[in-house]
Amino acid sequence: MAGICTPKPKTASYAVFWGIRWLSAQPFTRMLQVSRRGTAMPMSPYRKLTPYADAAKQRGVGVYHLNIGQPDIETPPAALAAVQQARIGVLEYSPTAGLPSYRTKLAAYYQRAGMPVEAEDILVTAGGSEAIFFALMSCLNPGDELIVPEPFYGAYTAFAVATDVRIVPVTSHIENGYALPPIAEFESRITPRTKALLVCNPNNPTGYVYSRQELEQLLDLCRRHHLYLLSDEAYREFCYDGNYVSALHLPGAAEHVVVLDTISKRYSACGARIGAFVTKNKALQAVAFKFAQMRVSPPGLAQLLGEAATELPDSYFDLAKAEYLARRNRMVERLRAIPGVYCPTPGGAFYIMASLPIADAEHFALWLLEEFQHDGHTVMISPATGFYATPGAGRNEVRLAYVINQAAIDGAMDCLAEALRQYPGRIGA
Amino acid sequence: MAGICTPKPKTASYAVFWGIRWLSAQPFTRMLQVSRRGTAMPMSPYRKLTPYADAAKQRGVGVYHLNIGQPDIETPPAALAAVQQARIGVLEYSPTAGLPSYRTKLAAYYQRAGMPVEAEDILVTAGGSEAIFFALMSCLNPGDELIVPEPFYGAYTAFAVATDVRIVPVTSHIENGYALPPIAEFESRITPRTKALLVCNPNNPTGYVYSRQELEQLLDLCRRHHLYLLSDEAYREFCYDGNYVSALHLPGAAEHVVVLDTISKRYSACGARIGAFVTKNKALQAVAFKFAQMRVSPPGLAQLLGEAATELPDSYFDLAKAEYLARRNRMVERLRAIPGVYCPTPGGAFYIMASLPIADAEHFALWLLEEFQHDGHTVMISPATGFYATPGAGRNEVRLAYVINQAAIDGAMDCLAEALRQYPGRIGA
């Protein structure tokens, strides 16, 4: 066989050769199909449980909703009034980057918080969601990698699928309150495809608030490896122990940091769909602006609400924070009184992660809705598996949101304690 | 050299082999960069001219804006009142698919127009833009092809880049009013990568309204080749000559048709950012819903406006249409009186495409803003090249929007006539 070149098995060129043969041999017929990326999109984990919660209510069982991130605190009337009293003749497109008056006042809000943000650094978005989308589209190519400490906000997975980005998780642990994992673990995950790190601070779902030192380590890593640091700061105003540090507070942040922001939690205005993409990196801002042009403008009416909200007195947050703090303390106290339950004290946001004496929180969550009641009530919880990218991680953990009042928290904790006594899958005595 | 296998140049396996060699030989260093897709995103053509319009205004020259698609007609006060008089305690996330009450009333609006739409067929979106985005993400894979008659709405190009879809244009022509090109031209563009056709009806930028027969031809083609038919019906209510046919009016549309809709033009509410993704294809609707979950909910306040608008009396459109019709007729009449100008009579929307006795509308548009004035005024026009995917197509064409009142139209036409007399680049006597 001298002189004849036969393809060798198990080489890249061999696979490509036969792949092309296979493709060209396909007949030119097909069915009407949805896209592969549409098929790959995850369904929100909440939705799996919702029909069971609805069924429980149908049976007359009251459901304490500890599963949602929808604040129950009143939207500030003065901010709503700005929309409701505005004189509007034609509800025109706003400028693509948002109303200039809003961007100016939002910059002043950031400046009061010590962040060196100018109006031109701000792109107003349709919620924090659109800011995340613009960031992934602008910073990463298809197939690139985004390092994220897990557990993380479940929608990041959906945005990663939609933008063809690969999430590379670094696991944080309940034992130290989900503190930042050692920076060496982040560094070991960096490949030529890594383009950015994404942190949520204060964290959803853990409630952990990153320290200045932790953030400096992350930024230093990003600077050494030419990565973006995407900082989701949706819960900025809800820190209960000590001062909050934004990624934009750090020296050297200008080129690397993008703050992803929203008024949803800050002003109990989730339905407004107003957020912001904030960076001092001009080249990146210019690219994000092109994605923003595609949808012409962010929501118009709700920008008036956002603008008025920047002028609320500081006491607005004092009241909201005092209420959330009292709820956090009450829920932590009640959880710790339940045998076999462990939870750190979260420093921010309005979530508590707890480990339960069970093997599978998804099964337990379903059992709570289908088979349990206590004094006519049960609780709906978020199994933590939906917040982990690593298969099997966090199976005995749940996220509990304290967006219900203190009496309801007591009722929910009564239910949970009793449920863990009765649950057949309970581990330990 | 017997027995030694040397790679042969110009084969796929050779290129792959050396490609891998080259990649692995790259040093592991790089700069902080924006994404390739961000770089590939087009800048809106309007933005190129805007600084020149601003400079003209600075010099004291009045600018008639024929370049924009922002209606000047008042947003219906009754619809605005629904937002401004609503009692809102907590501005919560709306359901992902939109408020049930709005979806029900919107379905009734479609039913009154003879379209067999139920509430469950509707996904409320952040403007028509988000409906386009969901459609491309749900129907096409990266690298797939979308056939679109050109000229077309410029943002389609941006959505195609953002979703990694290739637009394959089929050119329509001013000589027959931009009617649908022969169906054989569409069919000849179909490849194994073709997944959908996209039409805008009534058309932006041409104002052409597709006939029932044309739409049936398109649907038949889609049925034979297992393609989706995406129908952007933003201008549905603005047809001036005869009845309007929606793609959802056609028999056999259920599996194939997605209507991309918006209240922006219909109710002069561009700033609301409320649209809809409408299909009776359950599998496709389920996939689009997953993309919608990613951003949790559409804008909340403006859904109240959209809902109230569905209850406006039919006379609302009668008044708006009468005004647009009078403007269209006036502008067509004035254009045709200018030597060397040709324009069809558009049947819908609020745009007129015209060919001018010039070689390069981009140069002419710039000249109008930089060097021309007549009685202290000039006009801003949209060069049509931004609406064509075929390089060089439409260079002597412009899009003119009649979203200014009739006196302003007369002033603008005076300017245009005089400009074409003076323009050094004029072709012909």
Side-chain angles (χ1 to χ4, degrees):
Chain A
M1 303 293 283
I4 296 176
C5 181
T6 50
K8 292 181 195 129
K10 296 185 185 171
T11 66
S13 55
Y14 176 81
V16 166
F17 176 79
W18 287 104
I20 289 167
R21 278 289 297 252
W22 181 83
L23 273 175
S24 53
Q26 294 307 297
F28 184 11
T29 60
R30 56 151 180 263
M31 303 289 290
L32 192 64
Q33 288 179 328
V34 300
S35 68
R36 288 191 297 273
R37 51 190 169 191
T39 304
M41 277 294 283
M43 180 66 93
S44 164
Y46 309 128
R47 281 195 70 84
K48 290 188 213 159
L49 289 172
T50 301
Y52 299 96
D54 292 343
K57 289 174 198 170
Q58 285 281 324
R59 295 194 307 273
V61 178
V63 178
Y64 293 112
H65 282 277
L66 303 180
N67 60 304
I68 48 170
Q70 165 65 59
D72 62 321
I73 287 180
E74 190 181 40
T75 308
L80 268 172
V83 179
Q84 298 199 308
Q85 292 167 13
R87 303 183 72 164
I88 298 167
V90 181
L91 182 56
E92 298 189 354
Y93 288 118
S94 79
T96 292
L99 294 171
S101 54
Y102 178 39
R103 293 167 74 204
T104 300
K105 289 180 193 170
L106 187 57
Y109 157 84
Y110 290 125
Q111 287 164 16
R112 288 196 299 277
M115 297 156 68
V117 175
E118 308 295 330
E120 68 196 31
D121 305 328
I122 298 170
L123 181 61
V124 178
T125 56
S129 305
E130 196 177 61
I132 297 169
F133 176 68
F134 289 166
L136 298 195
M137 291 297 286
S138 302
C139 298
L140 294 96
N141 298 314
D144 279 349
E145 294 168 6
L146 174 71
I147 300 179
V148 191
E150 69 177 359
F152 55 76
Y153 175 44
Y156 293 165
T157 306
F159 282 106
V161 171
T163 60
D164 196 8
V165 160
R166 195 170 148 245
I167 289 185
V168 176
V170 177
T171 308
S172 65
H173 298 281
I174 195 168
E175 292 76 14
N176 63 352
Y178 304 99
L180 194 75
I183 208 73
E185 289 193 32
F186 286 87
E187 193 149 19
S188 73
R189 303 305 198 280
I190 294 174
T191 77
R193 299 308 298 264
T194 310
K195 295 293 164 56
L197 268 61
L198 168 59
V199 290
C200 180
N201 182 31
N203 193 273
N204 172 12
T206 68
Y208 186 78
V209 181
Y210 293 98
S211 70
R212 174 177 289 273
Q213 192 193 1
E214 286 172 326
L215 292 171
E216 283 175 346
Q217 286 181 320
L218 285 173
L219 179 60
D220 175 65
L221 187 71
C222 288
R223 287 165 61 97
R224 285 190 284 114
H225 290 277
H226 309 288
L227 308 176
Y228 293 102
L229 179 57
L230 312 179
S231 184
D232 178 345
E233 304 187 354
Y235 298 89
R236 177 186 306 111
E237 294 294 346
F238 304 111
C239 293
Y240 312 111
D241 313 303
N243 284 331
Y244 173 66
V245 180
S246 161
L248 274 175
H249 281 126
L250 306 178
E255 289 303 300
H256 293 265
V257 168
V258 184
V259 164
L260 312 171
D261 206 0
T262 172
I263 68 168
S264 292
K265 317 293 174 175
R266 192 149 82 224
Y267 304 114
S268 282
C270 297
R273 310 317 296 135
I274 294 292
F277 174 99
V278 185
T279 185
K280 300 192 76 68
N281 181 320
K282 300 286 182 208
L284 188 64
Q285 186 66 264
V287 164
F289 183 84
K290 290 195 289 183
F291 287 106
Q293 273 192 324
M294 184 169 78
R295 50 65 163 156
V296 192
S297 74
L301 289 167
Q303 286 184 70
L304 303 177
L305 187 157
E307 183 172 334
T310 62
E311 297 179 323
L312 291 168
D314 288 347
S315 59
Y316 169 75
F317 292 118
D318 293 344
L319 288 169
K321 275 167 70 173
E323 174 62 23
Y324 284 131
L325 176 59
R327 293 176 183 182
R328 179 200 71 172
N329 291 344
R330 184 77 186 138
M331 194 182 273
V332 166
E333 182 190 342
R334 291 294 313 266
L335 284 169
R336 289 184 178 162
I338 303 174
V341 173
Y342 176 79
C343 73
T345 301
F350 35 66
Y351 305 106
I352 294 175
M353 288 278 280
S355 64
L356 307 182
I358 57 172
D360 179 354
E362 291 189 30
H363 180 271
F364 180 61
L366 200 58
W367 179 85
L368 281 168
L369 295 172
E370 279 205 298
E371 311 205 15
F372 174 79
Q373 59 167 298
H374 173 65
D375 285 348
H377 283 79
T378 190
V379 287
M380 188 167 174
I381 58 178
S382 293
T385 41
F387 305 113
Y388 285 88
T390 301
R395 285 189 66 196
N396 69 332
E397 296 172 14
V398 297
R399 188 193 74 173
L400 308 171
Y402 42 96
V403 291
I404 56 178
N405 65 38
Q406 294 179 59
I409 286 174
D410 271 325
M413 293 298 105
D414 289 345
C415 275
L416 190 64
E418 182 58 32
L420 285 170
R421 267 191 289 273
Q422 295 182 18
Y423 181 56
R426 185 192 161 89
I427 291 173
Chain B
M1 303 289 284
I4 296 177
C5 181
T6 49
K8 293 183 193 129
K10 297 187 184 170
T11 66
S13 55
Y14 176 82
V16 167
F17 177 80
W18 287 106
I20 290 168
R21 279 289 298 252
W22 180 85
L23 274 175
S24 54
Q26 293 307 295
F28 186 12
T29 61
R30 53 145 184 267
M31 304 288 290
L32 193 64
Q33 288 179 328
V34 300
S35 67
R36 288 191 298 273
R37 52 190 169 191
T39 305
M41 277 293 285
M43 180 66 94
S44 164
Y46 309 127
R47 283 195 67 87
K48 291 189 212 157
L49 289 172
T50 302
Y52 299 97
D54 292 344
K57 290 173 197 170
Q58 285 281 325
R59 294 194 308 273
V61 177
V63 177
Y64 292 113
H65 282 278
L66 304 180
N67 60 303
I68 49 169
Q70 165 64 60
D72 63 322
I73 287 181
E74 190 181 41
T75 309
L80 269 172
V83 179
Q84 299 198 306
Q85 292 166 12
R87 303 183 72 166
I88 300 168
V90 181
L91 182 56
E92 297 190 353
Y93 289 117
S94 80
T96 292
L99 295 171
S101 54
Y102 177 39
R103 292 167 73 205
T104 300
K105 290 181 192 170
L106 188 56
Y109 157 83
Y110 290 125
Q111 288 164 16
R112 288 196 299 277
M115 297 157 69
V117 175
E118 307 296 329
E120 66 195 33
D121 304 328
I122 298 171
L123 181 61
V124 179
T125 57
S129 305
E130 196 177 60
I132 297 168
F133 176 68
F134 288 167
L136 298 196
M137 290 298 284
S138 303
C139 298
L140 294 96
N141 298 313
D144 279 349
E145 295 169 5
L146 175 71
I147 300 180
V148 192
E150 68 176 358
F152 55 76
Y153 175 44
Y156 293 164
T157 306
F159 282 106
V161 171
T163 60
D164 197 8
V165 160
R166 197 171 147 244
I167 288 184
V168 176
V170 177
T171 308
S172 65
H173 299 281
I174 195 169
E175 292 76 14
N176 63 351
Y178 303 100
L180 194 75
I183 207 73
E185 290 194 31
F186 286 86
E187 193 149 20
S188 72
R189 300 311 197 278
I190 294 174
T191 77
R193 300 307 300 262
T194 309
K195 295 293 165 56
L197 268 61
L198 169 58
V199 289
C200 181
N201 181 32
N203 194 274
N204 172 13
T206 68
Y208 185 78
V209 180
Y210 294 98
S211 69
R212 175 178 288 271
Q213 192 193 2
E214 286 172 326
L215 292 171
E216 283 175 346
Q217 287 180 321
L218 286 173
L219 180 59
D220 175 65
L221 187 71
C222 288
R223 287 165 61 97
R224 283 190 285 114
H225 291 277
H226 307 289
L227 307 177
Y228 293 102
L229 178 57
L230 312 178
S231 184
D232 178 346
E233 304 187 355
Y235 298 89
R236 177 186 307 112
E237 294 294 347
F238 305 111
C239 295
Y240 311 112
D241 312 305
N243 284 332
Y244 173 65
V245 180
S246 161
L248 274 176
H249 280 127
L250 306 179
E255 290 303 301
H256 292 265
V257 168
V258 184
V259 165
L260 312 170
D261 205 0
T262 172
I263 69 167
S264 292
K265 316 296 175 175
R266 191 148 84 225
Y267 304 114
S268 281
C270 297
R273 310 314 297 132
I274 294 293
F277 174 99
V278 185
T279 185
K280 301 192 76 67
N281 181 320
K282 300 286 182 207
L284 188 64
Q285 185 66 267
V287 164
F289 183 84
K290 292 195 288 182
F291 288 106
Q293 273 193 324
M294 184 170 78
R295 51 61 163 158
V296 192
S297 74
L301 289 167
Q303 286 184 71
L304 304 177
L305 187 156
E307 183 173 332
T310 61
E311 296 180 323
L312 290 168
D314 288 348
S315 58
Y316 170 74
F317 292 118
D318 293 344
L319 287 169
K321 275 169 70 174
E323 174 62 24
Y324 283 130
L325 176 60
R327 293 176 184 182
R328 179 200 72 172
N329 291 344
R330 185 78 187 138
M331 193 182 272
V332 166
E333 180 190 346
R334 290 293 313 266
L335 284 168
R336 289 184 177 161
I338 303 174
V341 173
Y342 175 79
C343 73
T345 301
F350 35 66
Y351 305 106
I352 294 175
M353 288 278 281
S355 66
L356 307 182
I358 58 174
D360 180 354
E362 291 190 30
H363 180 271
F364 180 59
L366 200 58
W367 179 86
L368 280 168
L369 295 171
E370 278 203 297
E371 309 204 17
F372 174 80
Q373 59 169 295
H374 172 66
D375 285 347
H377 284 80
T378 190
V379 287
M380 187 166 175
I381 59 179
S382 292
T385 42
F387 305 112
Y388 285 88
T390 302
R395 285 189 67 194
N396 69 332
E397 296 172 14
V398 297
R399 188 194 74 172
L400 308 172
Y402 41 97
V403 291
I404 56 178
N405 66 37
Q406 294 178 59
I409 286 174
D410 271 326
M413 293 299 105
D414 289 346
C415 274
L416 190 64
E418 182 58 32
L420 285 169
R421 267 190 289 273
Q422 295 182 20
Y423 182 55
R426 185 191 160 90
I427 291 173

